[in-house]
Every structure is written in C-alpha cells, then in structure tokens.
Amino acid sequence: MSSTAGPANPDSLPRLVVLISGRGSNLGALIEACNNGRVPARIVGIVSNRPNAGGLAYAEQHAIPARVLNHRDYPSREAFDEDLAEVIESFHPDLVILAGFMRILTPGFVDRFTGRLLNIHPSLLPKYRGLDTHVRALADGEHEHGASVHFVTRELDGGPVIMQARVPVLPEDTPESLATRVQRAEHRLYPEVVRRLCSGEIQWRDRIVTGDNTPLTVPLQLATNEVVPDVEAPDERSPAPRDAD
Ligand code: GRF
C-alpha cells in the first residue's frame, strides 16, 4: 500500500474500515487525520458490534457508511465472525482497524485479515495484555505507561508491535486520569501508524514488520513533539464497554 501526500483522487486512496464497540474517540482522531490530509487514506466503512456505541455518531456526522452487527444475535463466535468478515470485505478494505472493538476474534477471522488487521492497546506491550491496564500499571508503581499499535495475530494482544506512545505516570494519578492521558496519546499514535502504513514507510512482509525496508527489532516510538489536535469523544450514548466478550 502506498500513497503520496497532497490532493489525491479519493477513489485512489487506501481504504480503511474501522471497527468499534464504544465511544470511538480513536475513530474520531482517524477521521480528523484523514479529513485534514495528514493521513492519506479514506475511511470507507465503520462497523460496530453494539447498536448503541457512541462512536456511531461519527458515521452520521461525516456521512461514512456504518453497519451494526450485534453479536448477541448470533449463536456462536464463529457465526458472528463469519458475517463480520463478509461485511468488512464488502467495503474492500486495505486496512481493518480495531479501535476499541471489544471482541475476541476467532483464528479464522484473524487469518483472513492477517497483515492488514491493526489494534490499539492501552499499555506498553508486552506489558499488561488484557483488561484493566491502567489499574495494573498503578498497582505496580510504574513510572511510565502508554499505548501500542500492533498487527493482530491469533495471540491476544500478542501480534508484532509497530509503534508505541509513552506517557508519564504521576504520583497523584487515578486510573481515570491515567486513562485520559493515555487516550490523548492514542489519538496521535493511531493516525501516525496508519499514515506510515498508507505511505509505505511501514510494511508487513512475511509476517514481519519492516520500516524503510529493514525489519523492526523494537517498536517505533512516537516522538513527543508530534502534536496534532486532541479529539473530543461524541456524547456517549452508552458507557465504554470494558469486557472483551
Ligand atoms: C482505547 O483506549 C484502546 O486502547 C482500547 O479501547 C479504547 C477505545 O477507546 N483498545 P475509544 O472507543 O476509541 O474512545
């Protein structure tokens, strides 16, 4: 996938499909970055597994096609993932972006999209896979925390990490204040990774992440001066889901 900066025919831009379950503030950051030209790509579809996900407001606001597939309507995880894959494929995506999509994906689904399936996780992986990352980082007395964007593989939160954003943990932090700081970093991190993938600076080759044609041995780090406007979440129509069900 490769696209150059500057005005481009929208039809020639890499196609992104974003999957959400909740607030969708990362989706908002990606939309903003595509709209202002920072990310040379186009969000062609949004899919939510929750009908009341607050992030669906972005689809309405920006006239982006959205589909809701309620996992509760399906008899099994496999059946849900099969339909989910069909819906995603119908958008012909170059990248499938998990942005707070709170579902554990089946191996069949992951295999179908390997190499174009990304996730953002609120920790400095491999630390704190799974849930409650901010609580656990505070309990451990960490001085630094952050977020990671990685390719998704069959192993939960275990795929190759592309880039991380680091934030300090302050003595007065609560899980909530730390989560807010990490999310602000996420809003810079995810668009930057997508930009690099869409411009070809980062590639997935033979299950290895390469940057400038060299395999990445350690994750890239987001420079602290890469400042872009913070994105407000839309009014929440439901609390952000916590469980990966
Ligand atoms: C983010 O913190 C992300 O790290 C995690 O889920 C959260 C989604 O937030 N995977 P939002 O829905 O993008 O606001």
Side-chain angles (χ1 to χ4, degrees):
M1 192 183 349
S2 176
S3 170
T4 48
N9 174 357
D11 291 336
S12 67
L13 290 172
R15 300 168 67 82
L16 315 180
V17 169
V18 183
L19 272 56
I20 61 169
S21 298
R23 268 187 303 244
S25 66
N26 280 287
L27 166 65
L30 287 162
I31 293 173
E32 169 71 19
C34 289
N35 286 352
N36 69 22
R38 183 171 152 80
V39 171
R42 184 173 152 219
I43 299 177
V44 293
I46 296 167
V47 185
S48 171
N49 67 313
R50 295 188 187 249
N52 59 354
L56 286 168
Y58 285 112
E60 221 169 296
Q61 207 177 326
H62 295 273
I64 300 171
R67 292 284 306 273
V68 173
L69 248 68
N70 190 339
H71 60 280
R72 297 186 195 281
D73 294 341
Y74 288 83
S76 67
R77 197 172 284 281
E78 285 72 22
F80 173 77
D81 277 9
E82 184 61 36
D83 267 14
L84 178 64
E86 293 299 323
V87 167
I88 293 170
E89 293 284 20
S90 74
F91 290 116
H92 305 290
D94 294 295
L95 285 179
V96 179
I97 297 176
L98 306 180
F101 187 65
M102 301 301 286
R103 295 277 306 166
I104 292 170
L105 297 164
T106 55
F109 179 94
V110 172
D111 291 351
R112 199 157 158 178
F113 294 101
T114 302
R116 49 184 176 138
L117 187 57
L118 297 178
N119 184 42
I120 190 160
H121 182 76
S123 78
L124 297 172
L125 289 170
K127 283 188 173 178
Y128 308 118
R129 293 179 183 181
L131 299 173
D132 296 326
T133 59
H134 311 304
V135 173
R136 288 153 64 202
L138 285 174
D140 286 352
E142 297 280 2
H143 295 294
E144 194 178 46
H145 189 42
S148 307
V149 174
H150 63 95
F151 280 109
V152 176
T153 60
R154 288 180 174 205
E155 194 184 353
L156 186 66
D157 299 329
V161 178
I162 304 167
M163 192 181 236
Q164 297 178 318
R166 313 181 94 87
V167 301
V169 178
L170 305 179
E172 65 274 22
D173 266 333
T174 61
E176 292 72 28
S177 64
L178 186 54
T180 302
R181 191 172 311 119
V182 170
Q183 273 231 322
R184 292 211 170 115
E186 290 185 353
H187 300 161
R188 294 184 285 118
L189 176 66
Y190 224 168
E192 178 57 20
V193 172
V194 175
R195 183 190 74 72
R196 292 192 193 202
L197 281 164
C198 290
S199 65
E201 284 171 50
I202 299 172
Q203 292 171 332
W204 168 267
R205 282 198 193 141
D206 302 326
R207 305 188 73 81
I208 291 171
V209 186
T210 61
D212 292 330
N213 292 317
T214 310
L216 289 190
T217 48
V218 290
L220 298 165
Q221 301 297 316
L222 185 73
T224 46
N225 61 358
E226 286 184 73
V227 177
V228 294
D230 201 15
V231 174
E232 293 293 328
D235 287 345
E236 278 184 64
R237 283 185 257 164
S238 66
R242 292 184 65 260
D243 55 324
D245 53 358

